[in-house]
Amino acid sequence: MLKLKGLEDFISVVWLHWALGEKGWYFKEEDNSPAEDPYYGFKFLREFYFRADPGYDKRFTVPMLWDLKHETIVNNESSEIIRIFNTAFNDHLPADKAAIDVYPEDMRGEIDEINEWVYNNINNGVYKTGFAATQEAYDENVYPLFESLDRLEELMSDGREFVLGSRMTEVDIRLFVTLIRFDAAYFTLFRTNIRMIRYGYPRLERWLLHLFYDMPTIFQETTFIEQFKKGYATTKPDSVTPAGPLPLIMPRSSVEW
Ligand SMILES: N[C@@H](CCC(=O)N[C@@H](CS)C(=O)NCC(=O)O)C(=O)O
């Protein structure tokens, strides 16, 4: 969203290290992460939460949008940050960027409706499946996950460019981040392995690679697939990162256009 709206002059991105530590997310000079945060010298994400509220007692999660002037958290809910970025800076943006609207008024009903099941069964579904500690919990989540992927594949069978038709919406943004990780990380590490996107869902794969390769500054340059994979591996007791499937993301030429 930040790249799509061209908000780089207003908002910088500071990456934490990909491994989730005992004290939560932390900085460490490796891959995208600096040794410490450049503004306060913090070593842990939690330090921002305590700076904002010394009595904070909930989870220390990313993404987290920080206000450098007021030294506090603006928001830490990705679905809300998407909406903030969609409009909040429009008065300061060039006309072409201000005009980009991924939650257009006339599509809000449709977007809210699809977000509901895509979030529960897919975005959160991969986590519910991956962290299921019993067979029952796994079964309860893995089937709705794949039924929802089937439903999307069916929806896109008319060859549409984006999930809701000819217009890119927040539905594409929210689905992209889960599906680009799907084969490389969730399929193996989270046991979401009924089908792979690349072999089982030709329409979804085509849509995914279209965003990835045809809008590279927005999607490709913000996808750090090797780091995601290592990060998900650290949620498992041995932290061993599986090698495949290679390539982690298929080439553009692998699908019919
Ligand atoms: N509602 C939040 C949830 C964010 C969330 O759970 N983030 C995870 C990483 S994907 C996290 O930071 N977990 C840290 C922890 O559980 O300690 C959102 O979607 O923005």
Side-chain angles (χ1 to χ4, degrees):
M1 273 307 286
L2 198 147
K3 296 277 185 186
L4 178 69
K5 291 290 295 188
L7 303 179
E8 294 90 338
D9 290 347
F10 307 97
I11 303 166
S12 60
V13 180
V14 181
W15 293 94
L16 287 129
H17 190 257
W18 43 260
L20 183 58
E22 294 235 312
K23 288 184 173 172
W25 299 113
Y26 60 93
F27 295 99
K28 175 189 174 181
E29 195 159 20
E30 190 182 336
D31 294 325
N32 282 349
S33 173
E36 54 184 38
D37 111 77
Y39 299 102
Y40 301 91
F42 290 159
K43 301 273 194 206
F44 293 91
L45 174 68
R46 64 196 304 166
E47 294 174 87
F48 285 94
Y49 280 83
F50 289 135
R51 179 79 164 225
D53 173 8
Y56 185 81
D57 62 359
K58 294 190 223 39
R59 292 167 67 220
F60 309 102
T61 59
V62 289
M64 188 274 289
L65 183 61
W66 180 261
D67 183 334
L68 281 169
K69 201 156 151 191
H70 298 98
E71 305 209 316
T72 195
I73 295 172
V74 179
N75 200 301
N76 69 347
E77 169 50 44
S78 53
S79 59
E80 293 173 15
I81 294 173
I82 287 176
R83 302 256 172 103
I84 293 172
F85 286 6
N86 191 45
T87 56
F89 296 86
N90 280 354
D91 289 348
H92 308 281
L93 297 176
D96 60 326
K97 294 290 186 195
I100 296 171
D101 180 5
V102 295
Y103 191 51
E105 202 130 4
D106 59 328
M107 294 180 79
R108 288 185 183 176
E110 196 184 356
I111 292 173
D112 292 345
E113 199 265 326
I114 196 168
N115 277 347
E116 171 87 16
W117 59 267
V118 167
Y119 177 76
N120 285 323
N121 301 340
I122 301 179
N123 300 126
N124 200 28
V126 294
Y127 287 94
K128 289 188 287 185
T129 305
F131 291 112
T134 62
Q135 187 67 52
E136 288 71 31
Y138 174 79
D139 292 344
E140 249 168 55
N141 291 290
V142 76
Y143 295 110
L145 165 60
F146 282 87
E147 280 156 19
S148 297
L149 291 172
D150 294 347
R151 189 171 164 187
L152 286 172
E153 181 73 10
E154 174 67 26
L155 185 69
M156 297 183 80
S157 63
D158 59 7
R160 56 182 63 189
E161 185 176 4
F162 300 108
V163 178
L164 294 183
S166 55
R167 225 179 139 153
M168 181 155 82
T169 64
E170 65 172 39
V171 177
D172 297 282
I173 311 268
R174 292 169 53 136
L175 193 62
F176 175 84
V177 293
T178 295
L179 294 197
I180 201 69
R181 294 158 165 83
F182 199 92
D183 293 357
Y186 305 138
F187 183 89
T188 313
L189 289 160
F190 284 5
R191 299 186 284 221
T192 60
N193 62 354
I194 293 180
R195 279 181 287 284
M196 276 187 169
I197 304 297
R198 65 185 62 178
Y199 303 127
Y201 294 98
R203 297 288 178 181
L204 283 174
E205 177 74 352
R206 182 173 171 274
W207 159 85
L208 192 61
L209 298 186
H210 172 45
L211 299 184
F212 188 79
Y213 291 109
D214 298 336
M215 285 163 254
T217 55
I218 297 159
F219 293 99
Q220 192 174 155
E221 291 169 20
T222 56
T223 297
F224 301 93
I225 200 73
E226 311 267 0
Q227 295 182 50
F228 299 159
K229 208 166 136 84
K230 287 188 282 188
Y232 288 114
T234 64
T235 67
K236 299 291 161 190
D238 58 17
S239 290
V240 173
T241 307
L246 295 177
L248 295 178
I249 295 169
M250 295 295 272
R252 196 181 187 286
S253 59
S254 65
V255 301
E256 292 217 10
W257 293 97

